Amino acid sequence: ARALCFVRRDFGARVLALAAAQTRREDARIGGRRLGRNLATKTRAMGKVKTALDHVSKDGKYNRVRSQFRDWVVQNPKFPAESGRYHLYVSLACPWATRALAFRALKGLEDAISVHTVHPTWKRTRPDDPEDLHKGWIFAEEGQDTFFDDDGRAFGTQACTPDSLNGCRSVRDLYDLAVGGEYTASSFTTPILWDSKERTIVNNESSEICRMLNSSFNAVAKNPGLDLYPDSLKEKTAELEEWIYHDINNGVYKSGFAKSQGAYDEAVEKLYAALDRVEALLSESRYLCGDTVTGIDIWLFMTLIRFDPVYVVYFKCSKKCIREYPNMFNYVKDLFQVPEIASSVDFFHIRTHYFTSHSHLNPFAIVPAMPTALDYSKPHNRDRSYPIKE
């Protein structure tokens, strides 16, 4: 009996051990599947699908990623300058995209280069994939009067267009189309200079697109004699571009997207030091390089026109408003009253995008009231203070 008891105990222990081992194997198998899913989701979120807000360093500093498409429409047999072949994809909210629109209008290229415009509110670009949470630029549909965001909030669609050229739903789809697969090299930004014959992106770097619009299309431009990058001012504009881009154009984003107090403080200090520098320059001449509008004026204008309506509140650029700088505020009014430049400014798109697209900055997507002191159509003193020399 005693021997039989030991046998039963040994058998029972073996059964329990086998059951425990099976449970461990099942847990490992399930855990492996979960880990695989988590790694896939993490890889997609971190490595493949990013927005500008994701490009932040460990110390909380915003770092803009370099544009990837860098071909040129000039002395290039693959991309020759032709009317009707190239198209601009833009957001009217984006200062980088609208500087290209201003160049297009000033050069008289409206008939040669068409434009497609996204809706200002970001939406999920892969709504049918629960693991893909990327949000970005979306095209309104043909005849669509109301645009709904992912939370069901309704917005107008004024000045929006469908992608009648390629039929894409989103700018992300356009990037995928350009590479013939899944584009993962960078964010899905505007502006985009698109070649309809090659069906690809020629360039997505706004500074280079502006230079192409300035000179590469003169044969089909209505205003070919206008040169916004004259050789005589090449060194001066290059010097201005260096610090205006880093400290003002991109400086507002460094302030707004900072994820640490130190990163924010550093960005804001540099931003306002650069604004003071601009104010001093504009006390000596009508425009940044003298008595003639150049490309760097358009670059700066696109940031300054958004500053008081958006950046003061949204990006915490709150030390001082542009309207508190006498020279700069009149300078903005001066440039805004150039019809070709004003045509690129749409405050519905500007304010709707910023205040409704970044849920971690403004989770309820409330668009604040426009400051009442901002009337850019009022008289300025720039023409009287700095008359054009004959």
Side-chain angles (χ1 to χ4, degrees):
R2 186 176 298 169
L4 181 61
C5 181
F6 281 128
V7 169
R8 286 175 176 169
R9 287 177 183 173
D10 185 58
F11 177 76
R14 289 183 179 181
V15 169
L16 290 173
L18 288 170
Q22 179 64 25
T23 299
R24 286 195 296 271
R25 285 195 295 270
E26 183 66 14
D27 287 346
R29 185 170 61 84
I30 293 171
R33 287 205 305 267
R34 287 173 179 164
L35 178 60
R37 285 198 299 270
N38 290 341
L39 285 174
T41 301
K42 187 176 181 182
T43 298
R44 179 174 295 168
M46 295 180 64
K48 288 187 176 181
V49 185
K50 292 186 177 182
T51 68
L53 282 74
D54 298 314
H55 303 301
V56 178
S57 65
K58 291 182 180 179
D59 57 358
K61 294 181 181 180
Y62 171 66
N63 298 307
R64 188 174 295 277
V65 173
R66 185 179 184 271
S67 301
Q68 299 298 308
F69 294 88
R70 309 298 285 269
D71 280 313
W72 282 71
V73 180
V74 57
Q75 297 178 352
N76 187 337
K78 185 178 180 181
F79 300 114
E82 298 175 4
S83 180
R85 174 170 175 165
Y86 300 97
H87 312 266
L88 279 172
Y89 284 95
V90 302
S91 161
L92 293 178
C94 174
W96 318 102
T98 50
R99 59 166 68 167
L101 287 181
F103 272 76
R104 171 180 173 265
L106 287 164
K107 292 292 293 187
L109 289 167
E110 294 93 331
D111 295 337
I113 300 173
S114 61
V115 173
H116 297 80
T117 306
V118 296
H119 193 276
T121 298
W122 280 359
K123 288 184 66 172
R124 287 183 62 186
T125 54
R126 297 289 185 269
D128 297 330
D129 185 347
E131 294 182 345
D132 191 329
L133 303 180
H134 174 266
K135 291 188 177 185
W137 302 115
I138 303 292
F139 294 99
E141 298 177 3
E142 184 72 43
Q144 183 180 5
D145 294 326
T146 304
F147 184 94
F148 293 95
D149 71 4
D150 292 322
D151 295 308
R153 290 179 284 254
F155 301 94
T157 59
Q158 52 264 48
C160 299
T161 70
D163 179 14
S164 58
L165 183 63
N166 290 299
C168 290
R169 175 182 176 270
S170 68
V171 169
R172 179 181 177 182
D173 292 338
L174 197 65
Y175 275 77
D176 287 350
L177 178 63
V179 299
E182 185 179 12
Y183 179 80
T184 61
S186 67
S187 304
F188 312 103
T189 59
T190 68
I192 294 168
L193 183 63
W194 180 270
D195 180 357
S196 61
K197 287 190 177 180
E198 295 289 338
R199 297 199 74 203
T200 192
I201 297 172
V202 179
N203 199 296
N204 69 334
E205 168 52 51
S206 63
S207 63
E208 294 175 356
I209 293 174
C210 287
R211 283 177 163 80
M212 282 184 266
L213 296 174
N214 181 60
S215 58
S216 296
F217 295 92
N218 278 340
V220 295
K222 294 179 180 177
N223 193 10
L226 175 66
D227 187 1
L228 294 163
Y229 292 109
D231 287 339
S232 61
L233 296 173
K234 187 175 181 179
E235 291 184 6
K236 190 169 186 178
T237 55
E239 185 269 329
L240 288 166
E241 285 175 2
E242 178 66 20
W243 60 269
I244 286 176
Y245 166 75
H246 286 291
D247 296 340
I248 300 179
N249 296 145
N250 203 33
V252 293
Y253 286 90
K254 292 177 183 177
S255 301
F257 292 160
K259 291 188 176 181
S260 71
Q261 188 67 48
Y264 166 77
D265 290 343
E266 180 182 332
V268 165
E269 182 179 355
K270 289 182 178 180
L271 168 64
Y272 279 92
L275 290 175
D276 289 342
R277 194 172 172 183
V278 168
E279 179 70 2
L281 283 173
L282 294 176
S283 70
E284 300 172 352
S285 60
R286 183 170 180 177
Y287 306 110
L288 292 173
C289 291
D291 59 4
T292 303
V293 174
T294 61
I296 189 59
D297 290 299
I298 296 171
W299 285 30
L300 179 61
F301 170 83
M302 295 303 170
T303 298
L304 299 185
I305 197 73
R306 288 160 173 75
F307 203 96
D308 289 12
V310 174
Y311 300 149
V312 168
V313 174
Y314 199 58
F315 282 172
K316 300 177 283 293
C317 302
S318 49
K319 288 181 69 175
K320 201 171 178 180
C321 298
I322 297 303
R323 60 185 180 271
E324 297 177 73
Y325 292 92
N327 294 317
M328 239 187 304
F329 189 40
N330 279 300
Y331 166 80
V332 173
K333 289 188 286 185
D334 186 6
L335 291 172
F336 181 78
Q337 291 170 31
V338 177
E340 293 85 356
I341 297 176
S343 67
S344 68
V345 179
D346 188 310
F347 284 115
F348 166 76
H349 277 250
I350 291 169
R351 289 162 50 74
T352 299
H353 165 64
Y354 285 102
F355 289 112
T356 69
S357 295
H358 314 128
S359 58
H360 75 291
L361 292 179
N362 192 19
F364 299 107
I366 295 171
V367 181
M370 183 79 167
T372 56
L374 297 180
D375 185 351
Y376 298 107
S377 63
K378 285 187 175 181
H380 58 82
N381 64 356
R382 305 299 291 173
D383 51 346
R384 296 190 302 275
S385 299
Y386 307 100
I388 300 298
K389 297 177 183 179
E390 298 295 340

